Amino acid sequence: MGAHDTLFGLTFRDSPIGMAILDSGGHYVEVNSAFARTVGREPSALVGRHFGEFTHQDDLPRNVELMAKVGSGEVSYFQFHSRLLHRQGDTIWVRITISGVEAPEDPLGHHYVAQVEDVTEIRRARDLLERRALYDHLTGLANRTLLMDRLELALETHEPRAATVAAIFLDIDHFKTVNDSLGHDAGDTLLIELGRRLQAAVRSADTVARLGGDEFVVIVEDVMGEEAALAVTHGIVAALRRPFVVDGTEITPGVSAGLAMAEQGITAEALVRNADMAMYAAKQGGRDRVECYDESMRERARTKLSIESELRTAIRDGELVVHYQPVVDLETREIRAFEALVRWQHPQRGLLLPDEFIPISEDANLVIPLGAAVLHEACAFLAARPEYKGRVFVNVSTRQIGSADLTHVVKDALTTTGANPSQLGLEITESGMLMATAAARADLKALTELGCELILDDFGTGYSALSSVLQNPVSGLKLARDFTLRLGDRGTGDRISTAIATLTRSLDMYGVIEGIETEAQYAIARRHGWQLGQGFLFGHAQPASDITLGLPRPSDADDDASPAAAALR
Ligand code: C2E
Ligand code: MG
Ligand code: MG
């Protein structure tokens, strides 16, 4: 092969692209080192061997056929993609350009020259792009595009019996808390695990998709009506709710689920939206539950949207008002504080209570301007009553703490009104306190440094250990109304009330019992050792203008032996 010492020979040897010369039977006559490297072998290990030994079985028949076409002169060259076998067992994707060489004077006679380029990386990148377009990169589940594709197909296939297709919309309760308190890596780990559990909880033909964030959708086919689909949903939820340890912290995910059954002519979009609405209803209903879609939900969703936009202007136009409910010393019935409770003076619907718009304001990120307005009002209430030495308690939503820089808002309200910080108490729910992230804790600490007090609201509803809640600088605690309703049951209700009243005192905090409506409850609360109380028995929440402070001022009662007077001074 003298020809190979020529320019061609040098090019062949040093080419960065793999090259091989094959005889008419398909055996390697000569290979360059680039080609040998591609398949992970020495050139000497290839020479004399048939190319079929190094070709993926599935590609071999086609490659033989293409070579025959080149060999017969039907075409002069061919370019194709094929898989080769690397010595280490991997499959390599290559692009082969093979041409036939008529060389009557060459001892080799008719032969082939092949150029072989490794395109594994390019193929991998392309596959990845394809996957990215259809699959969620974190969990590997289907993404929205693939979900909608599959759902459309399922709806088409089952058209005559549409009610055999169901969509289940799942949302993890308080997922943001995991992210905020344990970090994004922990959040990701949880999502991956939830994806696995979901996949394992359904049949392999069912589609499981992640829509982003903590939202998942499952499409179930061939299910016999709503009852059966509901059973499937409960099974899925049970699988997700198993405790899970991430970074040494045990988490039991709460799951809100919405179920919607397909009906004749429904689109994929509409079915998923119905399931989403049902999920929202589950959240509204207290989370961690399953709801089935019904027509009324659409109406409610519309109402919610209109409330949301109305609320935006209501805050701006000052339609929100603050009413004040007295908190009294249970011994003397003197007013020690007022709780500021927001109301919405709606031009058409009348006076709306917070339950009707606070949750919506939280979802729509309106609770921050709303909270700022209430704080401002409450401080103005204090500033306008210099003779009043008691406190005003203001409810604060978890979403106002940390990210929204509550300290800044409070400072602003105090300075513009001139109110005394020590008369301002901020009520934070037990769950809110528990969820406090590092940023939120700093916010809470800064607030106490301003001179404000923190009060734990609705205590007993969050099932938390008091110790974890008390990592924050808390001055007072309010027992949730649920327990007041159970006062006098001579059982758990009474035991919890007594225990918490005692605990509060021994921790040097003040305790407020909420929702006292009857003299009987009042008497029991006193017997249990509560110092302060709030409820319709002592007074409803009233507009500031209706409040007269004709009662003896706490400063007049300095010699008063009442422990509550001492606590709230
Ligand atoms: P909360 O902080 O537990 O407030 C006490 C609620 O119990 C008030 O309801 C009050 O009117 C009611 N209540 C007081 N005494 C009695 C009683 O004897 N019997 C009964 N059945 N109820 C009584 P309201 O004003 O409807 O407020 C509901 C919740 O809305 C509040 O619960 C609080 O969590 C939230 N909220 C109120 N104002 C604000 C605010 O300005 N910002 C935020 N973020 N939340 C607020
Ligand atoms: Mg409160
Ligand atoms: Mg409360």
Side-chain angles (χ1 to χ4, degrees):
M1 289 187 288
H4 302 135
D5 297 330
T6 61
L7 191 58
F8 171 74
L10 290 174
T11 313
F12 180 90
R13 211 180 57 212
D14 300 334
S15 166
I17 291 176
M19 289 181 85
I21 293 171
L22 297 95
D23 66 18
S24 54
H27 299 91
Y28 294 117
V29 177
E30 225 174 298
V31 299
N32 71 355
S33 43
F35 175 62
R37 252 199 320 277
T38 302
V39 286
R41 292 160 220 261
E42 289 299 316
S44 59
L46 295 166
V47 171
R49 310 281 287 275
H50 191 269
F51 82 88
E53 291 180 52
F54 308 97
T55 302
H56 194 285
Q57 281 307 303
D58 297 346
D59 294 351
L60 192 55
R62 186 205 52 186
N63 293 5
V64 168
E65 194 186 311
L66 292 178
M67 266 178 87
K69 279 190 181 159
V70 175
S72 69
E74 196 182 321
V75 288
S76 58
Y77 76 96
F78 235 108
Q79 194 170 66
F80 55 96
H81 281 210
S82 175
R83 281 163 289 181
L84 298 186
L85 304 175
H86 192 275
R87 193 164 63 107
Q88 280 160 357
D90 303 339
T91 302
I92 314 293
W93 274 102
V94 292
R95 182 170 64 203
I96 301 175
T97 311
I98 190 148
S99 34
V101 183
E102 279 316 327
E105 65 277 25
D106 196 307
L108 204 52
H110 179 268
H111 60 275
Y112 301 94
V113 175
Q115 284 187 38
V116 182
E117 286 169 83
D118 189 340
V119 293
T120 311
E121 282 312 314
I122 298 169
R123 291 228 25 150
R124 231 176 246 158
R126 201 186 64 193
D127 287 352
L128 198 66
L129 279 179
E130 268 171 23
R131 273 195 72 77
R132 286 253 166 95
L134 296 178
Y135 293 89
D136 172 48
H137 64 96
L138 180 66
T139 59
L141 300 174
N143 67 9
R144 182 187 283 274
T145 312
L146 185 57
L147 169 79
M148 289 305 176
D149 260 17
R150 296 235 183 112
L151 183 53
E152 265 158 34
L153 187 69
L155 291 172
E156 244 167 65
T157 320
H158 297 272
E159 172 76 76
R161 288 163 61 246
T164 58
V165 179
I168 303 164
F169 204 109
L170 301 146
D171 187 290
I172 311 308
D173 298 332
H174 306 302
F175 177 73
K176 196 176 166 298
T177 315
V178 175
N179 251 350
D180 289 350
S181 53
L182 300 176
H184 283 266
D185 287 345
D188 285 355
T189 312
L190 179 61
L191 289 173
I192 292 168
E193 173 62 17
L194 291 171
R196 272 197 212 117
R197 290 182 182 184
L198 267 175
Q199 197 85 72
V202 299
R203 291 174 297 186
S204 59
D206 298 333
T207 298
V208 180
R210 177 175 170 234
L211 296 195
D214 56 347
E215 291 180 344
F216 297 89
V217 171
V218 178
I219 300 298
V220 192
E221 294 175 52
D222 293 318
V223 66
M224 291 304 144
E226 189 174 88
E227 216 163 292
L230 199 55
V232 173
T233 311
H234 281 292
I236 291 173
V237 169
L240 295 181
R241 289 189 82 266
R242 288 201 319 267
F244 173 79
V245 178
V246 57
D247 281 354
T249 305
E250 189 177 286
I251 298 169
T252 303
V255 182
S256 298
L259 168 67
M261 304 301 296
E263 56 199 59
Q264 208 79 29
I266 195 167
T267 63
E269 287 286 344
L271 181 58
V272 171
R273 199 180 49 228
N274 288 354
D276 187 4
M277 269 186 236
M279 185 283 290
Y280 183 77
K283 283 244 187 267
Q284 290 299 101
R287 298 171 199 266
D288 205 9
R289 63 185 65 214
V290 177
E291 287 287 345
C292 298
Y293 173 78
D294 70 68
E295 287 294 328
S296 69
M297 285 176 187
R298 201 187 315 222
E299 189 47 46
R300 255 177 283 158
R302 251 197 297 268
T303 312
K304 176 182 174 249
L305 267 184
S306 75
I307 291 185
E308 205 176 292
S309 69
E310 284 176 5
L311 187 56
R312 215 174 286 276
T313 48
I315 295 171
R316 202 190 50 211
D317 300 348
E319 280 174 25
L320 295 185
V321 291
V322 179
H323 286 188
Y324 298 86
Q325 185 181 30
V327 174
V328 304
D329 181 330
L330 289 181
E331 217 157 292
T332 62
R333 284 212 188 195
E334 285 167 13
I335 294 173
R336 297 291 171 203
F338 286 99
E339 177 171 10
L341 295 161
V342 69
R343 273 97 183 88
W344 179 1
Q345 189 62 59
H346 192 282
Q348 284 89 42
R349 303 209 289 144
L351 194 69
L352 302 181
L353 292 178
D355 292 345
E356 288 199 63
F357 59 91
I358 290 281
I360 295 174
S361 80
E362 289 185 329
D363 281 353
N365 253 341
L366 288 171
V367 78
I368 291 160
L370 182 152
V374 174
L375 273 163
H376 203 274
E377 261 307 305
C379 289
F381 175 94
L382 281 171
R385 291 167 179 76
E387 76 287 359
Y388 171 65
K389 301 294 178 211
R391 309 278 202 285
V392 167
F393 297 153
V394 177
N395 292 285
V396 169
S397 157
T398 324
R399 301 201 191 198
Q400 289 171 263
I401 314 170
S403 52
D405 198 3
L406 184 60
T407 313
H408 188 82
V409 175
V410 170
K411 214 187 270 179
D412 187 61
L414 288 168
T415 44
T416 50
T417 57
N420 179 357
S422 69
Q423 284 181 278
L424 183 64
L426 300 166
E427 292 191 10
I428 300 166
T429 57
E430 178 183 3
S431 48
M433 204 67 91
L434 264 185
M435 275 181 226
T437 60
R441 288 228 178 89
D443 219 356
L444 296 180
K445 192 158 164 280
L447 284 167
T448 54
E449 281 161 6
L450 274 185
C452 303
E453 283 183 344
L454 298 183
I455 297 127
L456 192 50
D457 200 0
D458 296 338
F459 185 76
T461 51
Y463 310 101
S464 57
L466 191 57
S467 60
S468 57
V469 171
L470 294 183
Q471 285 172 359
N472 299 294
V474 176
S475 318
L477 172 152
K478 285 182 148 193
L479 183 68
R481 204 171 73 86
D482 309 41
F483 296 104
T484 308
L485 293 174
R486 288 162 65 180
L487 286 184
D489 67 357
R490 293 171 199 276
T492 340
D494 282 335
R495 276 202 297 276
I496 291 175
S497 162
T498 317
I500 296 180
T502 312
L503 188 69
T504 312
R505 243 176 307 122
S506 66
L507 286 170
D508 236 4
M509 290 166 31
Y510 51 86
V512 184
I513 184 158
E514 287 190 90
I516 300 282
E517 293 182 358
T518 65
E519 291 290 346
Q521 288 170 332
Y522 172 38
I524 298 169
R526 284 190 69 180
R527 220 181 305 130
H528 287 177
W530 290 95
Q531 307 158 303
L532 296 163
Q534 181 179 351
F536 296 164
L537 181 68
F538 312 114
H540 286 260
Q542 290 180 310
S545 54
D546 292 359
I547 291 170
T548 45
L549 292 162
L551 293 157
R553 284 179 275 147
S555 55
D556 298 339
D558 268 352
D559 305 323
D560 191 332
S562 157
L568 268 184
R569 192 159 299 142

